[in-house]
Structure formats: C-alpha cells, structure tokens
Amino acid sequence: MRLAVYNVENLFDRAKAMNLDSWAEGRPVLERFARLNQLLGQVEYSDADRTQIAKLVGELGMEKSDSGPFVLLRRNRGGLLKRPKTGGIEVVATGRADWVGSLELRDEPVNEHAMRNTARVIVDLEADVLGVVEAESRPVLSAFNREILPAIGGTPFRHVMVIDGNDERGIDVGLMARKGYPIGTMRSHVDDCTPDGETIFSRDCPEFEVTTPSGTRLVVMVNHLKSKGYGGKTASDARRKVQAERVAEIYRRLTDEGVEHVAVIGDLNDTPDSDPLKPIIDGTSLRDIFEHDAFDDGGHPGTYGACKVGNKIDYILLSPALFDKVKAGGVWRKGMWPGVRPAKWESYEEVARPEDAGSDHAALWVDLDI
C-alpha cells in the first residue's frame, strides 16, 4: 500500500488574512483576531478589557461597521458595543452573557490554479491512504474529492474523514482512503489537556484505524503541531513540545496495547534536531522515513518553502514493524513553486507564479509491503 501525507493549505476557501502576499502582513491580523476572541469570551469584562476590545475592533478595521476587511463581528442578540455619531467605539457589554454572536475570519476563494494543482498532486501521488493537513472541514474535503479530482482525471477516494479540531480558522487534519482500505475505529484528542487544564493540541491528533486488503491493521495519527510563525518563539516552542510529548504518550500506549503498525504523519512545524520534537524523534521507537535507504529526497533535504535543511517540517514516522516493510518512498514537489534562475525542481506547467502553487509544502509518500 502507498501511504502519503500532504499539507494542502486549504482547498476552496481560506482566511483572507492568510492569503496575503507575506506572513508579515497577515500575522498582525491573526494575532489581533485571537486576542479579541479571547477577550470577548470572558465571563466578565473589566474596564481595561472593554478599552482593549474597543481598540482591537478599531485596529481590525471595524470602526464604522461589523464588517472589516479581514474579520466579521456577528451580533445576533443583546448589546456588545455602540458607535457614537461623534466617533469611536463604546463597549457596553459587561460580559459574554450580555450578547450573542461570534467573531469570524473572512474567507475568500483560493486561486483556481492553486486548487487544481493541489488536486494534481493528490492524483499523481496515487496514494491508497492519504493524510491531509489544513482542510477546512469534512464537507469541503468531500466536495473536493467528488468534484475536483475527477475534473482533472483522478479517481475519488472511497473514504473521507475529518474530525473538527480546535483551530477556529478551519484548518483541520483528516484522512482519505481508497476502496479496500476502510477506516474503522477513530479516536480524537481535541479535549486532551495539560495538568493545569490547558488544551494540548492546536488542531487534533486523531487516531485512524485502517485495514488493508490483506487484513493487516494499522493506526495512522495525523498531526499539525503549533506553528513557529504565530506567537512568540518561547511560547510556541513550549506548546509544540507539550504536543510532541502527548503524541509520544499516545504512540507508546498503542504499542503497549500490542499495535505493531503505527504511522505518525503530518506537519510537525519543526526540524528533526529541534528540542520541541525530541519527545517524538528521540523518545520513541518511531523512525523517520527520510532515514530509510529506499527513500529518495529528490536532492533536497527539506519539505517546505525552499526545501533546505531548516525547512524539513513534514513527516512520515513509522513504528519499527512498519519501517521494516518500506519498499520505496519519496518527496513530491511538482505542486510547489520552484523559484527561478534556476528552478530548484520540476513543477507542473500550471505553476506559473508562486500564487499558482498547490501548497508551500511538498507531499511525502512511502510504499509499504503490508
């Protein structure tokens, strides 16, 4: 069977703040959105909270209306704020119970060429089981599977599963599987918490049990750990390490239960030699597919962006029993922007501009004799 993983960076719609030309433009919007959401969710609003809420609403471009360039404030009932004719914003609510509504990121359609190039990668991978990172939802992934893959000559997957995670931006992890590879028992970890009650996973770390045509069962854990680009480095590294520790615990629990075939796949957002990933890389028996003699990295050590050593952030990690069954593996970069003068790798003709890339991430694949 062929197991693969691909960070699709959303399929149909994506937050406008994440579609800007550079992360430097989008990051402040997402940080303000997260802070405002946090403040609005509090049971009680202090005077300082109300001042900060008003300030953030203005900074997000909602001085005159609830519809900003990147964020929407939905107010269904009750009173949250007023906009006096003299100008400014006055927060009248004293807590979350005073109003009913939500704060949402505005979406916009993904570049059509980018969407089709994402589909080309998925079709050309010819995976039997594909882990997907940054999918909006199961309905969206299912629609993409039914409508877009056949439009470019591909065959839809028989099984499509996404469990909604903790990220409010709609970037979840899921699994797609061909006929003959049914998805059985599923276990979500969205509610896993630290001893002090903090939610561990930014998205989720779902366990999908897959049965192969031969009757062999394996558990695939799809991950998307905390990004380096959002929040301070110290806090991001600490959060990612806690997540890695929990992934390692789940893996050890599975092996203690006698599960031999386990794959941990996805975007771990850090390099193999990093401290945050030590609990997984050094603290378990999992093996990185990049270490296998049958694996071909295509002449580049990384999986993201320019694919340099420091850009190795996507993984297929296998339990010893699975690692021993590897027959081949590689990195699929044809959907990525290859750069110019000279191009770093062969890409699809349709990737004429960086905006046309299916993703900034390469897809990884491995053939297993099971």
Side-chain angles (χ1 to χ4, degrees):
M1 66 163 282
R2 175 165 291 186
L3 173 66
V5 65
Y6 186 32
N7 186 326
V8 299
E9 294 190 318
N10 291 66
L11 301 168
F12 290 116
D13 294 308
R14 188 172 177 84
K16 289 183 67 176
M18 299 174 71
N19 267 353
L20 298 175
D21 292 337
S22 71
W23 176 240
E25 293 179 79
R27 178 174 178 172
V29 176
L30 295 176
E31 289 179 341
R32 288 167 181 150
F33 169 81
R35 177 58 179 154
L36 182 54
N37 236 347
Q38 180 186 37
L39 288 169
L40 292 175
Q42 295 182 159
V43 176
E44 296 181 356
Y45 303 155
S46 67
D47 290 343
D49 292 335
R50 289 196 291 272
T51 298
Q52 185 67 7
I53 289 171
K55 180 174 182 289
L56 288 167
V57 168
E59 289 176 346
L60 287 168
M62 295 184 287
E63 305 94 336
K64 297 182 179 181
S65 79
D66 290 348
S67 179
F70 302 106
V71 176
L72 295 174
L73 176 61
R74 299 194 186 277
R75 293 188 284 165
N76 301 333
R77 293 194 304 277
L80 171 62
L81 57 80
K82 296 180 179 178
R83 297 182 177 90
K85 292 182 179 180
T86 54
I89 297 168
E90 178 186 351
V91 177
V92 297
T94 60
R96 192 62 179 90
D98 288 349
W99 67 286
V100 177
S102 61
L103 188 69
E104 302 173 12
L105 287 167
R106 296 187 66 170
D107 291 334
E108 66 179 4
V110 174
N111 176 298
E112 182 182 358
H113 291 295
M115 180 174 62
R116 293 175 71 88
N117 285 326
T118 299
R120 287 185 177 92
V121 171
I122 292 175
V123 170
D124 289 346
L125 279 173
E126 298 183 333
D128 298 301
V129 177
L130 173 66
V132 177
V133 179
E134 292 199 41
E136 291 97 322
S137 65
R138 184 182 180 279
V140 168
L141 185 60
S142 182
F144 181 86
N145 179 58
R146 294 191 317 268
E147 300 168 14
I148 307 303
L149 295 188
I152 62 167
T155 301
F157 287 81
R158 173 62 182 82
H159 309 283
V160 176
M161 179 52 62
V162 175
I163 302 173
D164 281 345
N166 292 317
D167 198 308
E168 297 174 341
R169 296 169 295 174
I171 50 175
D172 296 318
V173 294
L175 200 73
M176 306 170 76
R178 299 289 181 189
K179 182 179 180 180
Y181 296 84
I183 301 172
T185 301
M186 297 178 289
R187 179 178 291 172
S188 172
H189 291 277
V190 292
D191 287 332
D192 288 9
C193 292
T194 61
D196 59 2
E198 291 293 322
T199 300
I200 291 176
F201 290 108
S202 310
R203 268 62 69 166
D204 191 6
C205 174
E207 303 172 42
F208 296 106
E209 184 184 81
V210 177
T211 302
T212 71
S214 68
T216 300
R217 293 187 178 184
L218 67 152
V219 173
V220 182
M221 298 162 59
V222 189
N223 274 270
H224 187 190
L225 301 191
K226 177 70 177 69
S227 168
K228 289 182 179 180
Y230 183 52
K233 182 181 186 307
T234 299
S236 293
D237 286 355
R239 180 83 183 278
R240 199 158 49 255
K241 187 165 187 176
V242 169
Q243 294 171 346
E245 289 170 346
R246 181 58 181 144
V247 172
E249 289 174 0
I250 296 169
Y251 170 73
R252 285 193 289 268
R253 188 257 302 161
L254 286 168
T255 57
D256 288 346
E257 292 174 352
V259 181
E260 289 188 316
H261 303 118
V262 182
V264 175
I265 65 177
D267 178 359
L268 303 189
N269 266 316
D270 221 328
T271 55
D273 60 351
S274 67
D275 180 68
L277 295 193
K278 280 185 178 180
I280 300 175
I281 304 298
D282 298 336
T284 71
S285 60
L286 288 163
R287 299 285 303 278
D288 190 340
I289 184 58
F290 271 68
E291 299 174 356
H292 201 285
D293 291 340
F295 185 80
D296 181 5
D297 67 8
H300 302 275
T303 63
Y304 171 78
C307 289
K308 297 179 180 179
V309 173
N311 301 123
K312 205 282 193 183
I313 60 175
D314 300 277
Y315 293 81
I316 293 180
L317 304 173
L318 304 175
S319 60
L322 270 185
F323 197 80
D324 289 343
K325 298 182 184 299
V326 171
K327 296 302 177 183
V331 184
W332 193 268
R333 298 186 175 92
K334 293 186 72 172
M336 300 177 70
W337 173 244
V340 294
R341 301 189 185 94
K344 298 181 183 70
W345 48 76
E346 180 185 359
S347 64
Y348 297 125
E349 290 183 7
E350 294 82 0
V351 183
R353 308 169 301 159
E355 295 81 5
D356 297 332
S359 172
D360 281 344
H361 295 254
L364 307 182
W365 62 271
V366 59
D367 288 338
L368 303 163
D369 184 15
I370 56 171

